[in-house]
């Protein structure tokens, strides 16, 4: 509960036919999900190049790497009953049920696969935030900067050959990440390790994202694009992404950096999203 604030009821909408993408997360007259400038999202076919339409994309079994943003965003999901969508792939089946009872959005997931199957999942949520917005996470949280951040650090500070550089939140390697600010031509990705709950604060509004999953690595990924990407037509996009795993690319994930299906053959997890507004 946020002291001195009142709950704001959220409502969610999604598009099962087009990758299960969350198209709206709305409450108190505010739309939280950003909409991207790239056309053609509805014409996407399996394994097409990623189309940055905004909203919240389901990324599985990887975020970066191959296929870009994973296998499920570019494929139709089938109806599994009220609020439920299912996608079946050769190596896994993912079921998602979303409810917004009482104004709090709860998304329950179940992944069925062979024991030992390794994956990364992220709720790739691109949010519509002002330059004054900030991300509140526990101070000192180990945070992995990914290679595009190297250009923003002093020469020679990036460890040669390493896929990331780790430092404490909110300023790993001296680079402040908790504020967004105006566009400055930069873009970077980071992963806050063992961080299952964060708040996005934007003016009087707060959005809380919390991930529950027993026995798997939980993180929060950050995509802070302040007009630095893509090179041929940069724009602003801000991603706050609850994640199972600790690496954007499954190919980079060490033994403890990916989720692993246990002997039961399934992994279940829950994403809860709530909003508050200061009086």
């Amino acid at each position: 509960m946020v002291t001195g604030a009142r709950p704001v009821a959220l409502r969610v909408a999604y598009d099962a036919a087009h990758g299960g993408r969350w198209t709206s997360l709305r409450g108190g007259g505010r739309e939280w999900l950003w909409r991207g400038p790239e056309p053609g999202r509805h014409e996407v076919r399996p394994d097409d190049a990623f189309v940055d339409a905004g909203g919240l994309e389901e990324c599985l079994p990887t975020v970066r790497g191959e296929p870009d943003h994973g296998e499920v965003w570019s494929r139709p999901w089938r109806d599994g009953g009220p609020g439920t969508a299912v996608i079946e792939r050769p190596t896994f089946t993912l079921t998602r049920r979303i409810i917004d009872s009482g104004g709090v959005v709860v998304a329950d997931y179940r992944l069925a696969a062979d024991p030992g199957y390794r994956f990364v999942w992220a709720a790739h949520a691109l949010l519509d935030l002002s330059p004054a917005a900030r991300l509140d996470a526990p101070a000192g949280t180990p945070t992995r900067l990914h290679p595009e951040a190297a250009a923003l650090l002093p020469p020679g500070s990036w460890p040669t050959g390493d896929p990331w550089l780790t430092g404490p939140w909110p300023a790993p390697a001296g680079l402040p990440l908790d504020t967004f600010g105006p566009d400055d031509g930069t873009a970077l990705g980071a992963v806050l390790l063992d961080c299952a709950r964060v708040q996005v604060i934007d003016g009087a509004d707060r959005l809380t994202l919390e991930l529950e999953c027993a026995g798997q690595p939980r993180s929060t990924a950050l995509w802070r694009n302040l007009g630095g990407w893509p090179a041929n037509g940069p724009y602003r996009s801000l991603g706050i992404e609850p994640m199972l795993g600790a690496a954007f690319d499954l190919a980079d994930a060490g033994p403890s950096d990916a989720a692993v299906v246990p002997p039961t053959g399934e992994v279940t997890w829950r994403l809860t999203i709530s909003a508050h507004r200061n009086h």
Side-chain angles (χ1 to χ4, degrees), residues 8-13 24-33 35:
V8 174
L10 294 173
R11 293 292 179 265
V12 66
S24 179
L25 181 66
R26 189 169 184 84
R30 173 171 187 156
E31 174 58 64
W32 281 97
L33 294 181
R35 296 181 181 178

Side-chain angles (χ1 to χ4, degrees), residues 9-66:
L10 294 173
R11 293 292 179 265
V12 66
Y14 64 89
D15 186 352
H18 300 97
R21 183 171 73 100
W22 301 34
T23 56
S24 179
L25 181 66
R26 189 169 184 84
R30 173 171 187 156
E31 174 58 64
W32 281 97
L33 294 181
W34 172 83
R35 296 181 181 178
E38 296 188 19
R41 181 65 178 81
H42 283 195
E43 286 71 51
V44 165
R45 296 295 178 264
D47 299 321
D48 279 357
F50 184 65
V51 175
D52 195 11
L56 186 157
E57 299 277 14
E58 302 283 356
C59 296
L60 181 80
T62 191
V63 183
R64 298 184 182 181
E66 296 293 336

Side-chain angles (χ1 to χ4, degrees), residues 129-131 133-135 178-182 222 224 226 236 238 240:
L129 303 174
S130 77
R134 61 186 178 90
L135 178 61
D178 58 332
T179 57
F180 296 106
L222 168 66
R224 194 181 73 172
L226 303 178
R236 180 185 182 93
L238 305 170
I240 310 298

